Amino acid sequence: MKLRSIFIVAGIVLASNSLYAQYTSDVLRFSQPEFGTTSRFKGLGGAQTALGGDVSSLSGNPAGLGFFTKSEFTFTPEFNNFKTGSEYLGNNLSDKKSKAGINQVGLVFYSPTNKSKGSNLNDGWVSVNFGVAYNKTNNFNQNITYGGRNTKSSMADYFANIAGTTPEASLASGSLEKMAYDNFLIEYDPAGYFPTTALNNNQQNIITRSGSQSEVNIGMAGNYGNKLYLGLSLGLTNVNYNSDIAFSENGNNLTYAGQDPVFVNGTYSLNYNSIQQTRGNGINAKLGVIYKPVNELRLGLSLITPTWYSLTDNFSENLNTRFKRADGTNVPEYTNPLSNYNSEYTLRTPYRVNGGIAYILGNSGLITADAEYVDYSSIHFSSNFSNETINTNRDIQALYKGNFNYRAGLEFKLVNQFMIRGGYSYSGSPYKNLDFTTQAYSGGLGYRFDNYYLDVTYRHTKWDSTNSPYTISADYPDYSFTGAGPTANLKNTADNVFLTFGVRF
């Protein structure tokens, strides 16, 4: 899973039927991939910019391919366990999801340059190496459950808000507000729409997310004099994101003048469901350099261009409602078919600049550290609809900012080719007005034997986020009482285990 403050950007601006807010949330979600790395580099906190010598360099600093002196194949399966604790309207719940998969597969070809017999092997170009690797860069798998008693608003307030003052005969067929009106959850009077639901209702929201982002990198690097290493790679990216939302609310009917007698003093139960599927591909490039002023010290710098995505978004929703009369008998259920909204858009993610330093402790181990800058306000969204484009880019500028991320790790060699590693990473908040940072702690072991090796890493990540089942705008007549709607505060953790098998040939 992409382990940053919003690998699960969980709805800071997400409203159930607001496509602008959905896009604003999603473009950040897809702009926060992590580097695809082997278990070893994950154990080092992902600090790889200056280190090199690992197929992971294709994803972060391709200059690191220049350190290879043999060809190499790696394979990394993973096991992930994600937990989310929620606080919503004073009520606490938790949910979790586990999944195994393939995190990384890579191959590097060592290609030494031809030198005449007896020449100095450290002069000129020593080797030009090539590599290709698949990496999972973002894991969207997560279950979120929250619920509580709402004393200030109902989802029907949101339906009345989006209906505005449009006469009932003019509500668009298949729209959410039309569903709500046909379900008798909102009614119309000369001042506009109002909810037919009373306060002190019980609400629950269940969100199921799945899918991933991945990347195939193809690159090369040259080793000049065992001092200077230059590399570049091309990344072919993929997005596969799914989100299912099941929101339910039940309570008493509101009493008002002119009410249909069948609903007087009765109860209601509404169920809102939405399904989102986002698919697409993108392309980026990575350029890097590593320099060794002395054998023990390595300095690295890499630039990752924006990823240019072409995405297709398929969104569907429906609303069904049950009522009971005052005597407890059931009113026939009001149902609606799924309404589908399909769209295509392009996305340009932020550029990323990484600087790193590594110090080799002879045969005993190493210390490595990175700093990264990412400007999330530079995200750019574009669609065929000018309002979507203008509003989404406006929200991006208003909500997001640039930030620094830091990674550090150390490795010590033990007896009999055993190694022990530890790492830490910190990701700054991408938001201007929210302090949603992410911290990750990792530790691992490695074993080398002949031309084979095994590395295992455990990583624990924690971050906070929020989610809103619906958002009420400030122009709603009862906004002074309802406010913007309820928000769930989420505490997220991810426990991941990575195992890399490698062979040199």
Side-chain angles (χ1 to χ4, degrees):
M1 178 173 228
K2 164 60 202 57
L3 300 170
R4 294 180 187 253
S5 58
I6 171 128
F7 90 73
I8 310 290
V9 59
I12 172 176
V13 293
L14 180 61
S16 300
N17 191 38
S18 172
L19 290 181
Y20 302 153
Q22 175 192 312
Y23 291 138
T24 305
S25 177
D26 285 345
V27 297
L28 179 62
R29 189 193 319 276
F30 303 145
S31 295
Q32 291 188 301
E34 66 174 331
F35 292 134
T37 65
T38 61
S39 178
R40 182 193 179 204
F41 276 12
K42 291 185 189 297
L44 293 171
Q48 59 157 310
T49 303
L51 196 54
D54 191 286
V55 70
S56 308
S57 299
L58 280 164
S59 179
N61 184 354
L65 290 181
F67 284 85
F68 279 85
T69 57
K70 285 187 175 181
S71 298
E72 190 169 306
F73 169 79
T74 63
F75 173 72
T76 306
E78 65 178 354
F79 177 78
N80 308 297
N81 184 37
F82 308 110
K83 297 179 182 178
T84 302
S86 64
E87 186 279 323
Y88 182 73
L89 301 173
N91 191 43
N92 295 299
L93 293 172
S94 64
D95 210 336
K96 61 182 179 180
K97 188 172 188 176
S98 299
K99 191 174 180 62
I102 296 174
N103 184 269
Q104 179 271 339
V105 181
L107 184 63
V108 175
F109 298 97
Y110 171 61
S111 178
T113 58
N114 293 322
K115 291 185 178 292
S116 60
K117 186 175 181 179
S119 62
N120 188 342
L121 297 181
N122 290 325
D123 285 343
W125 292 105
V126 177
S127 63
V128 179
N129 301 329
F130 302 87
V132 59
Y134 161 85
N135 303 289
K136 186 179 294 182
T137 58
N138 210 333
N139 198 327
F140 300 125
N141 291 285
Q142 186 184 33
N143 291 339
I144 301 170
T145 300
Y146 58 81
R149 183 178 292 273
N150 196 328
T151 62
K152 298 187 68 175
S153 69
S154 161
M155 196 177 203
D157 283 293
Y158 169 67
F159 300 148
N161 182 200
I162 61 175
T165 58
T166 304
E168 60 269 36
S170 300
L171 292 175
S173 177
S175 68
L176 191 55
E177 53 270 38
K178 175 64 171 174
M179 296 182 197
Y181 182 78
D182 290 344
N183 282 201
F184 296 94
L185 290 170
I186 58 175
E187 288 290 349
Y188 183 78
D189 67 19
Y193 290 89
F194 64 92
T196 65
T197 56
L199 298 179
N200 296 308
N201 51 72
N202 294 302
Q203 298 179 338
Q204 184 181 63
N205 204 21
I206 300 175
I207 303 171
T208 302
R209 293 174 177 154
S210 62
S212 64
Q213 272 176 276
S214 61
E215 186 175 59
V216 175
N217 284 292
I218 304 168
M220 61 180 293
N223 172 355
Y224 189 84
N226 288 316
K227 283 267 187 189
L228 179 66
Y229 304 81
L230 302 172
L232 60 89
S233 63
L234 180 70
L236 306 175
T237 62
N238 176 265
V239 169
N240 177 12
Y241 173 72
N242 307 290
S243 175
D244 294 349
I245 296 177
F247 176 87
S248 62
E249 179 182 303
N250 62 79
N252 296 316
N253 296 337
L254 182 70
T255 299
Y256 56 93
Q259 184 178 22
D260 190 324
V262 74
F263 300 119
V264 174
N265 296 324
T267 62
Y268 74 94
S269 175
L270 71 86
N271 291 280
Y272 167 81
N273 298 93
S274 72
I275 301 171
Q276 178 189 347
Q277 296 179 329
T278 303
R279 306 285 187 270
N281 298 291
I283 188 169
N284 61 44
K286 304 168 184 71
L287 305 171
V289 58
I290 298 175
Y291 178 66
K292 293 198 305 183
V294 295
N295 283 335
E296 297 81 9
L297 183 63
R298 301 177 185 180
L299 305 174
L301 180 67
S302 70
L303 170 67
I304 301 175
T305 71
T307 301
W308 289 270
Y309 277 109
S310 178
L311 298 168
T312 299
D313 194 89
N314 298 315
F315 183 83
S316 58
E317 62 184 353
N318 75 333
L319 176 68
N320 300 321
T321 310
R322 293 178 181 270
F323 290 95
K324 285 188 177 181
R325 300 178 180 89
D327 62 6
T329 59
N330 291 320
V331 176
E333 183 179 8
Y334 296 96
T335 63
N336 296 280
L338 281 171
S339 289
N340 299 298
Y341 313 95
N342 300 326
S343 62
E344 296 182 353
Y345 63 94
T346 60
L347 166 65
R348 187 192 68 209
T349 70
Y351 63 88
R352 302 162 70 183
V353 178
N354 290 271
I357 183 171
Y359 191 82
I360 310 302
L361 305 172
N363 292 322
S364 300
L366 60 88
I367 300 174
T368 180
D370 286 359
E372 177 184 54
Y373 179 74
V374 187
D375 183 8
Y376 293 105
S377 67
S378 68
I379 296 172
H380 187 268
F381 169 93
S382 180
S383 75
N384 291 329
F385 301 97
S386 59
N387 283 343
E388 287 180 355
T389 300
I390 293 171
N391 289 326
T392 301
N393 288 317
R394 177 202 62 203
D395 290 345
I396 290 169
Q397 291 291 318
L399 291 170
Y400 305 144
K401 65 179 180 64
N403 75 297
F404 285 93
N405 306 317
Y406 304 98
R407 302 178 289 270
L410 51 84
E411 177 182 271
F412 291 106
K413 187 176 181 180
L414 305 177
V415 295
N416 299 324
Q417 302 301 309
F418 276 99
M419 285 163 282
I420 186 170
R421 306 181 184 101
Y424 171 78
S425 67
Y426 171 91
S427 298
S429 176
Y431 300 103
K432 287 184 177 179
N433 300 315
L434 291 173
D435 186 22
F436 283 170
T437 61
T438 298
Q439 298 183 73
Y441 306 84
S442 57
L445 297 171
Y447 178 59
R448 269 60 180 152
F449 52 101
D450 297 327
N451 288 320
Y452 303 91
Y453 62 88
L454 286 172
D455 294 306
V456 61
T457 291
Y458 164 75
R459 183 175 67 183
H460 174 75
T461 308
K462 59 181 182 180
W463 70 100
D464 294 339
S465 59
T466 61
N467 185 272
S468 298
Y470 54 86
T471 300
I472 299 170
S473 65
D475 59 1
Y476 183 55
D478 292 330
Y479 183 84
S480 60
F481 182 81
T482 65
T487 296
N489 297 310
L490 309 178
K491 291 190 175 296
N492 312 278
T493 61
D495 295 288
N496 316 93
V497 177
F498 306 94
L499 177 65
T500 295
F501 168 77
V503 57
R504 298 186 175 96
F505 57 94

